């Protein structure tokens, strides 16, 4: 037993670390049953056009409520899900629920909006993703142009996987969905590679956005990303907009869309519905696609 190991184990593994590991194991065990127990729920955060101030899309953000641990952040359980292979099932659940929800809003007569769904790196590495997206679109009846998939910059520009990535993106584009590069600016993107990727949008990472009006350098980075997007004819959105001056700056620099607490926090479907009733406007996809 561990008692017999005495001193050594304590020097290698402090009680705090032990507790961490135990907690992680416990959370992982709960994670296995979270789907069947109905512990997941999607929240939706509006994305606003700076030109019209209308809601043009929402990002689906996963929430996990567990009776023992309370609400657990995706920053904690998504990495765990990736390590344990559970991300496949969870990712499928998210995609299905998000598409069904978006179609339900349209069926209810609300103006159609884009639904952004985050893809974990692991999901993107699986070729079966293409067939699954196709199936979900077919089964939910959602028009593909109202689905956007977010992959992180690190997934998109991985040098070793460039050929694979390009092919996957091409196949997704053939289905009619759009692609956004999440957390843009945090990796060292090869612009040459970025140029030839079939993508639709850059999403400026909030670490730069939140330093607007505090750091000239971060402002310069934000401006540069916006210009890059314009020059590559991509849509550009800023995330983590919390303050009026950040919004004003982004509007002035002609950032197409913004997402952040300044306008709305992520919220349950029912709450968003009320807001859509009042604020949303038909998204003229013909112009965009
Ligand atoms: P992300 O995709 O970059 O999502 C944006 C995160 O920023 C969300 O955190 C959102 O709630 C938060 N946020 C939005 N506006 C503001 C703001 O004005 N200020 C601040 N401080 N934060 C803001 P959240 O929901 O905790 O998600 C964290 C990350 O977890 C996401 O980052 C994404 O990488 C991952 N994630 C969430 N849901 C999913 C999912 O369904 N699948 C996968 N694979 N990953 C997910
Ligand atoms: Mg995202
Ligand atoms: Mg992001
Ligand atoms: Mg992020």
């Amino acid at each position: 037993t561990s008692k017999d190991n005495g001193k050594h184990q304590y020097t290698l593994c402090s009680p705090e670390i032990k507790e961490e590991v135990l907690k992680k194991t416990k959370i992982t065990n709960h994670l296995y049953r979270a789907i069947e127990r109905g512990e997941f729920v999607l929240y939706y955060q509006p994305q606003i056009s700076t030109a019209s101030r209308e809601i043009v899309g929402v990002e689906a953000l996963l929430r996990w409520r567990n009776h023992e641990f309370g609400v657990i952040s995706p920053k904690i359980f998504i990495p765990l899900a990736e390590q344990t292979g559970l991300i496949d099932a969870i990712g499928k659940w998210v995609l299905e629920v998000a598409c069904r929800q978006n179609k339900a809003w349209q069926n209810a007569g609300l103006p159609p909006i884009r639904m952004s769904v985050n893809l974990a790196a692991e999901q993107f590495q699986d070729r079966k993703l293409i067939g699954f997206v196709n199936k979900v679109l077919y089964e939910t009846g959602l028009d593909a142009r109202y689905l956007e998939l977010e992959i992180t910059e690190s997934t998109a520009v991985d040098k070793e996987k460039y050929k694979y990535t390009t092919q996957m993106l091409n196949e997704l584009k053939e289905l009619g969905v759009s692609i956004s590069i999440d957390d843009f600016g945090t990796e060292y993107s090869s612009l040459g590679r970025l140029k030839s990727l079939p993508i639709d949008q850059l999403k400026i990472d909030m670490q730069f956005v939140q330093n607007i009006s505090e750091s000239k350098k971060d402002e310069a980075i934000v401006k540069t990303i916006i210009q890059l997007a314009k020059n590559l004819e991509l849509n550009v959105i800023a995330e983590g907009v919390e303050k009026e001056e950040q919004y004003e700056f982004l509007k002035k620099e002609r950032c197409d869309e913004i997402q952040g607490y300044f306008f709305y926090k992520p919220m349950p479907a029912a709450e968003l519905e009320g807001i859509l009733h009042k604020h949303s406007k038909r998204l003229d996809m013909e112009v965009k696609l």
Side-chain angles (χ1 to χ4, degrees), residues 62 78 81-83 85-96 117-133 136 149-152 155 161 164 168 172:
L62 188 55
I78 294 286
E82 291 199 86
Q83 287 160 31
L86 284 168
I87 194 65
D88 186 50
I90 295 173
K92 282 178 167 165
W93 184 89
V94 170
L95 194 66
E96 236 173 308
V117 174
N118 290 287
L119 285 186
E122 287 289 312
Q123 288 177 276
F124 192 75
Q125 298 321 318
D126 184 357
R127 282 185 192 283
K128 290 198 287 293
L129 174 71
I130 308 293
F132 187 73
V133 171
V136 168
L149 299 175
E150 292 191 7
I151 59 171
T152 62
T155 305
K161 294 174 182 145
Y164 173 83
M168 283 292 280
L172 287 169

Side-chain angles (χ1 to χ4, degrees), residues 46 55 264 267 270-280:
I55 296 172
Y264 303 102
M267 63 186 90
E271 203 178 318
L272 183 77
E273 255 164 62
I275 292 170
L276 283 180
H277 268 297
K278 288 183 245 159
H279 294 274
S280 200

Side-chain angles (χ1 to χ4, degrees), residues 18-36:
K18 252 190 182 162
E19 209 181 293
E20 255 315 288
V21 172
L22 267 176
K23 193 173 177 201
K24 220 170 140 175
T25 312
K26 249 184 129 179
I27 293 179
T28 308
N29 287 337
H30 284 266
L31 196 53
Y32 274 101
R33 281 162 302 196
I35 292 184
E36 59 191 60

Side-chain angles (χ1 to χ4, degrees), residues 75 118 152 182-183 205-206 239:
K75 286 182 201 125
N118 290 287
T152 62
D182 204 356
D183 305 337
D205 193 77
M206 70 171 97
E239 69 181 340

